[in-house]
Amino acid sequence: MKIVSITMIKNESDIIESFIRYNLNIFNEMIILDNGSTDDSSNIILKLQNEKLPVVLIKDDDAYYNQNDKLTYLLNRAIDEFDADMVCPLDADEFISSDITNPREILENLDENSYYQIRWQTYVPTANDDFDIKFIPSRLNHVRDEQFDIHYKIVIPKNVVNNFDVSIDMGSHNLIFKNPEEKLTPIRINDLRIAHFPLRSLEQCMSKILVGWPNLIEKNKQNNVWGHHWKSLFEKIKQKRTISYEDLEYFSKNYSLRNIVMTLKLFQKQ
């Protein structure tokens, strides 16, 4: 079975090598679309390609952050061009893990006529982390209580793409079926987790928000609560020109929570 990951990146130089080296223990190939990075992300990937690692780098000339459309494009390309039997959409801050075996063994035994969800497990940076450690999963070892992680990431077999007209939703949490009458219900894989490292340092957090929030504004006009945690920190950075480790840890603990009231109160503390 050929298992392929698809990823869209923008300015992920602090984690992209960790992401690739780790996840290639699971995937046969990784396809990465660079959505206009201005840091060293692409150069790092090119160096890994020079090591003959099976990584495909695609440059994205369209700066607009329509992640769902672009990942759907990568999904179809992974199957049609790269002969993938199963596709895992992942962000560069996500690492598939399992407490019982190599995650690949679990993926290889899935029914290829269904699609699946793997639950997030979010890690939180603290001021006491050793920032000299380059491999992110070794540096960050404080995990948020699992009850707060309500998001899942999908795993998509080729058969589902070939048999249904589907697209990937924003965030890769679910599939969208063009014909609702044919909709499949995703099966949750309890023996796998997505180790999730969305915020990793003061510099990375500020870069993520300052670049990411403007790209989300158009979608935020359509949904006034979606992405509000980004806006809160954006306003904090605009006012203070910096953030503290306490801000970073507090924001990480509340990252992407369903409880919008908690998010709105995030940075009222001075």
Side-chain angles (χ1 to χ4, degrees), residues 5 23 45 47 62 89 96 99 109 135 164 167 170 199 221 229 236 245:
S5 68
N23 283 304
I45 296 172
K47 289 178 182 178
D62 176 14
I96 299 183
D99 292 332
N109 287 297
F135 184 59
F164 301 91
S167 59
M170 190 68 181
L199 302 172
K221 287 179 180 178
H229 56 291
K236 179 85 172 187
Y245 282 108

Side-chain angles (χ1 to χ4, degrees), residues 3 86 97-111 189-192:
I3 307 177
M86 187 169 293
S97 65
S98 173
D99 292 332
I100 62 174
T101 186
N102 186 318
R104 183 179 178 89
E105 294 185 19
I106 296 173
L107 294 173
E108 286 178 335
N109 287 297
L110 297 177
D111 179 357
I189 310 174
N190 294 323
D191 290 331
L192 293 179

Side-chain angles (χ1 to χ4, degrees), residues 256-268:
S256 197
L257 293 186
R258 180 176 288 157
N259 188 339
I260 299 301
V261 173
M262 183 181 297
T263 303
L264 293 173
K265 293 179 179 178
L266 211 55
F267 289 101
Q268 291 178 356

Side-chain angles (χ1 to χ4, degrees), residues 107-124:
L107 294 173
E108 286 178 335
N109 287 297
L110 297 177
D111 179 357
E112 295 180 49
N113 295 304
S114 300
Y115 82 103
Y116 301 86
Q117 291 178 324
I118 307 174
R119 190 171 186 175
W120 261 359
Q121 190 172 47
T122 298
Y123 286 75
V124 176

Side-chain angles (χ1 to χ4, degrees), residues 65-79:
Y65 189 80
N66 49 338
Q67 184 195 52
N68 46 337
D69 292 338
K70 293 181 180 184
L71 282 177
T72 299
Y73 159 76
L74 291 181
L75 169 65
N76 289 300
R77 189 167 174 181
I79 292 169

